[in-house]
Amino acid sequence: MSEPTGTADTLGPPVPVLSVSPVVLSAPDRAVDLRVRVSAPVTGSELPILLLSHGQGHSNHLSSLNGYAPLVDFWAAHGFVVIQPTHLSSTSLNLDSDAPDAPMHWRSRAEDMTRVLDRLDEVEAAVPQLLGRLDRDRVAVAGHSMGGHTASLLLGARLTDPHDGTEVDLAEPRIRAGVLLATTGGGGDALTGFVAENYPFLLTSDFSGMRTPALVVAGDKDASAHLTVRGPEWHADPYFLSPGPKSLLTLFGAEHGLGGISGYDVAETTDESPERVSAVQRLTWAYLRTELYPGDPAWREAREALASDPHPLGRVESR
């Protein structure tokens, strides 16, 4: 999409979206083949690519290629080709795995995204309506919760593999920007005892090398007491503990579901708010639009609109 489709306040009408799933990428080195959903506008060319990593949650299928429709539908209707893998940690797969990175499959998750980028020719061949329409130089990643952890690794965050003690660097240079939604924060004594014992890869999260531009989205009521003892501020760590350029969107009153981004009317959403979901849709779109198309005013205009609202849904800070 070589020309802007509109600013954050003048997006224009959404275009129809085509969605194809599953697109199956054979993976003999993986427990099961990699299955992805591809969603794209039916019109337009030179379309930017947005990889979306799902979280975990309580539902059986939101943590798969079938989740996050409120975001996917919006992003695709406004110009992105959204590719969603089903990671090995997905509840829908119900894998009994002894892999070193199980049960969250933190390493495999990031490798799924690199695999997709390596095999875009196969993705295009499986979705003929996309042939010749992708802009492979404009790639972004987004992730919610555990998916945010996955996205952060691709953006340059590191950790120490608890299995062998090596430093893990899974940064993907083809990714130019990211969005971390209710993501994981720092390790050490910030974690609950249960998390430290059962998910030790989170103990050594290091954001000091996460240099790729990113927008961190956090709810100021997202205590996530099952994960951290620090409360909502923990989810903002990737903003404060990484080098710039970064932006932080703090959503007022938002809990871990950020209003309901993981699916339409899902029971696990504790802070259901269509208005909040709309804000997440528009602000994330605007951020990525400007990062991938420098000079596009979408992000500046979105920030100004948020700041001038007499009853704002959140605030943005950048550095």
Side-chain angles (χ1 to χ4, degrees):
M1 182 185 314
S2 56
E3 295 298 327
T5 59
T7 68
D9 288 313
T10 57
L11 283 168
V15 302
V17 170
L18 65 90
S19 185
V20 178
S21 72
V23 173
V24 182
L25 302 178
S26 65
D29 58 335
R30 199 173 179 269
V32 296
D33 288 338
L34 178 60
R35 293 174 172 249
V36 305
R37 176 183 294 274
V38 181
S39 301
V42 298
T43 59
S45 60
E46 298 181 20
L47 301 171
I49 299 165
L50 178 50
L51 307 174
L52 175 59
S53 180
H54 62 73
Q56 290 306 119
H58 305 297
S59 300
N60 291 322
H61 293 282
L62 294 179
S63 60
S64 76
L65 55 77
N66 293 313
Y68 296 88
L71 295 181
V72 175
D73 291 348
F74 184 91
W75 289 334
H78 294 285
F80 282 91
V81 174
V82 185
I83 304 178
Q84 302 170 255
T86 295
H87 297 303
L88 292 179
S89 60
S90 173
T91 310
S92 68
L93 296 178
N94 195 29
L95 290 178
D96 183 13
S97 174
D98 59 359
D101 63 347
M104 287 295 113
H105 295 276
W106 54 267
R107 184 191 293 270
S108 173
R109 280 170 150 268
E111 291 172 345
D112 286 345
M113 301 310 211
T114 293
R115 192 187 303 261
V116 168
L117 294 179
D118 287 345
R119 299 171 68 177
L120 284 174
D121 286 345
E122 293 179 47
V123 173
E124 281 197 40
V127 187
Q129 299 92 331
L130 276 184
L131 282 172
R133 298 176 61 208
L134 298 179
D135 186 342
R136 302 188 187 199
D137 292 326
R138 289 188 168 95
V139 180
V141 66
H144 175 235
S145 193
M146 184 61 198
H149 181 271
T150 301
S152 72
L153 292 177
L154 294 163
L155 297 171
R158 299 186 182 187
L159 56 80
T160 299
D161 188 333
H163 181 69
D164 60 17
T166 59
E167 184 182 50
V168 177
D169 180 2
L170 295 170
E172 175 48 71
R174 288 170 290 188
I175 293 175
R176 292 175 47 181
V179 173
L180 309 180
L181 300 151
T183 189
T184 56
D189 59 8
L191 304 179
T192 65
F194 177 85
V195 169
E197 179 179 355
N198 291 276
Y199 309 117
F201 66 92
L202 288 173
L203 283 167
T204 54
S205 295
D206 178 4
F207 301 104
S208 63
M210 196 176 78
R211 303 184 185 281
T212 307
L215 170 64
V216 179
V217 182
D220 68 0
K221 301 299 183 185
D222 183 6
S224 292
H226 61 298
L227 296 174
T228 181
V229 298
R230 284 183 46 215
E233 66 181 28
W234 182 66
H235 296 285
D237 279 355
Y239 172 76
F240 291 105
L241 301 180
S242 67
K246 297 292 185 298
S247 291
L248 173 65
L249 167 60
T250 302
L251 293 169
F252 303 148
E255 298 177 15
H256 202 60
L258 303 178
I261 63 170
S262 64
Y264 294 113
D265 299 323
V266 298
E268 69 186 47
T269 299
T270 58
D271 65 332
E272 187 171 22
S273 168
E275 295 79 13
R276 188 174 295 133
V277 171
S278 179
V280 174
Q281 290 170 334
R282 296 168 70 90
L283 285 157
T284 56
W285 176 88
Y287 176 82
L288 292 174
R289 180 71 204 180
T290 295
E291 284 298 329
L292 295 180
Y293 298 88
D296 189 295
W299 179 231
R300 173 180 55 80
E301 294 182 0
R303 292 185 60 173
E304 290 174 352
L306 183 67
S308 64
D309 191 323
H311 303 288
L313 293 172
R315 66 174 181 274
V316 172
E317 51 196 289
S318 298
R319 57 179 184 78

